[in-house]
Amino acid sequence: MTLDYLIIGAGPAGLQLAALLEADGKRDYLVLEGAEIPGAFFATFPRHRQLISINKPHTGSDDAEANLRLDWNSLLSDDPSLRFTRYTQRYFPHADVMLRYLADFAAKTGVRVRYGARVTSVARVDGGFEVRAGETFRARRVIVATGVSKPYEPPIPGLELAERYAQMSVDPRDYLDQKVLIIGKGNSAFETAENLMETTTLIHLAGPSSIRMAWRTHYVGHLRAVNNNFLDTYQLKSANAILDGQIKRIARDGDGLRVTFSFSRANEVVKELWYDRVIACTGFAFDPSIFDESCRPALTISDRFPAQTPAWESVNVPGLYFAGTLSQERDFKRSTNGFIHGFRYAVRALHKILERRYGETPWPAEKLDATAEAIADAVVARINRTSALWQQFGVLADVVTVAGPDARYHDEVPVEYFAETGLRTPDHDYAHAFVVTLEYGPEHDQVDPFDVTVNRVAQDVVGQAHDAAYLHPVVRHHRAGRVVATHHLAENLENRWDRPEVHVAPLVAFLDRCLTGVEG
């Protein structure tokens, strides 16, 4: 038997795609999982067991769609019992809760998973794929949802002397009165430093890049406030420090380790520093070792991710797709595909892309009257509730296409996929397309949001909306495959863009000008 889809990995992304395929009931699929449980990653990571994906059960609203804006852990399901917010009240949940949630999600959705089936090889055979995992499976398409499963190791001579984040002891007493160097400046490094501050004599964090704060960049993979207590101990002169520069080498020196370090902000001064232990918290990368030469995907971003098209397909292996944290290659450090609250929507979009490509199923759409008023009403209603555009800012869009008197509203279309492929169907050869996104303003990550001396665009000011730094709706008019006009809706503290004179009337006027040819 040849499957339509074979999914490798029963983590959140693999389960999400399987649940969509199961509910659709049109395709033969199977999920292969090497562990004996779904979401096995969370049995080990994060090492200190606190997730930094927020969980807010108390929102003051009973709108399930809007509430997903404050629920970063749930997978998408029509079953209200499968909301993660029902599992714990903690804002930053324990990782064990995620394990329990994913097991329940797999059971209640009835997804087809083969556990204990670790994939050892993937090959191209007869135009499809042959996958070995104890036994041999054949599939027309393969979707890899394994996450970044291999530790990323920078080219530092002597790195083999360092302990790895994945294997280090998490008991602070094991580091009593020791000097510790942590390689890395991400959340895993700071989470580790936080855990060891009370028992070590000093901790240094080292790396070549500047620390970037998530509250400033709006990228949740940058340093989160929940992990940044270590910064106080550095700047308030409490024994610890952050070293900016390059580690040249690590060498054994008696009972300790000698680290040669080149400081980037001190005229490249090179010093030798001594530590009892060095811990590498340098992140993870995609492991391509299961693919033979017939279908080895091209890599990118320091070979940490598979290179992908706007449809999350390998750029060099047709029929090989990626889901989950691997899909962040398309929006690396710009949006949220590296995290559940982002990629759950990308997986839903991938399912629609697969159905459109292989099942000849048009992108789902709601018909509208092709008037500026009707389109504006539909846009405003969606942007005030949508969690997908909210979480996948600048990456997913609602698209309204207009062909004569016929307008169609398409939800959650990847922006780059639309630009490359469009949404035309035999019965809808549209002349106009309006692409609706939620976006931060230009150079938003260069603005300190807490600096009261910096002038901000006043909310609800129509003429200045294009300069707003905060998240706000943007509508772009496409004709003949290019953007010909853009309209920004004024930002709003409550994230409600429905004030008649401030939001609705200017949008109607913009749409009317576009439809009548006055603008664009």
Side-chain angles (χ1 to χ4, degrees), residues 57-251:
H58 306 291
T59 65
S61 169
D62 59 2
D63 186 331
E65 170 65 20
N67 283 343
L68 282 169
R69 294 181 174 188
L70 302 174
D71 172 0
W72 290 12
N73 300 285
S74 291
L75 297 181
L76 302 176
S77 170
D78 292 332
D79 183 349
S81 73
L82 289 176
R83 284 298 173 93
F84 189 93
T85 49
R86 297 192 173 204
Y87 282 70
T88 178
Q89 296 288 308
R90 287 182 58 178
Y91 195 72
F92 294 115
H94 194 283
D96 288 351
V97 181
M98 179 60 77
L99 283 171
R100 182 160 54 92
Y101 171 77
L102 293 175
D104 287 352
F105 187 90
K108 291 184 178 182
T109 56
V111 293
R112 291 170 242 166
V113 183
R114 183 79 58 88
Y115 295 105
R118 187 166 301 280
V119 173
T120 56
S121 70
V122 180
R124 269 285 198 194
V125 175
D126 298 331
F129 295 90
E130 185 176 272
V131 179
R132 293 183 180 176
E135 59 183 287
T136 299
F137 301 87
R138 291 206 169 195
R140 296 178 180 86
R141 269 79 59 181
V142 167
I143 300 96
V144 182
T146 56
V148 281
S149 55
K150 181 179 72 171
Y152 172 70
E153 299 197 346
I156 299 173
L159 186 66
E160 67 276 5
L161 298 173
E163 301 167 59
R164 301 304 193 269
Y165 173 72
Q167 290 86 32
M168 67 180 186
S169 169
V170 294
D171 185 348
R173 293 170 297 181
D174 290 341
Y175 301 82
L176 190 64
D177 292 327
Q178 294 184 351
K179 296 179 180 180
V180 177
L181 172 67
I182 299 173
I183 305 173
K185 292 180 178 177
N187 282 293
S188 63
F190 276 86
E191 147 201 324
T192 300
E194 170 89 8
N195 185 52
L196 302 182
M197 283 195 298
E198 292 181 353
T199 57
T200 53
T201 58
L202 68 78
I203 302 172
H204 289 168
L205 264 66
S209 302
S210 299
I211 293 170
R212 306 198 72 192
M213 306 301 296
W215 49 256
R216 180 164 182 160
T217 65
H218 305 113
Y219 172 65
V220 301
H222 285 146
L223 181 59
R224 302 286 299 285
V226 67
N227 282 329
N228 73 12
N229 284 337
F230 185 86
L231 295 179
D232 268 8
T233 71
Y234 172 38
Q235 288 299 311
L236 299 180
K237 303 179 291 299
S238 301
N240 300 321
I242 294 172
L243 311 182
D244 301 318
Q246 298 279 352
I247 296 174
K248 295 297 186 181
R249 71 185 62 86
I250 303 169

Side-chain angles (χ1 to χ4, degrees), residues 302-324:
S302 301
D303 289 345
R304 293 179 66 181
F305 295 93
Q308 298 160 55
T309 71
W312 297 295
E313 184 178 23
S314 169
V315 297
N316 66 310
V317 184
L320 179 63
Y321 293 84
F322 303 93

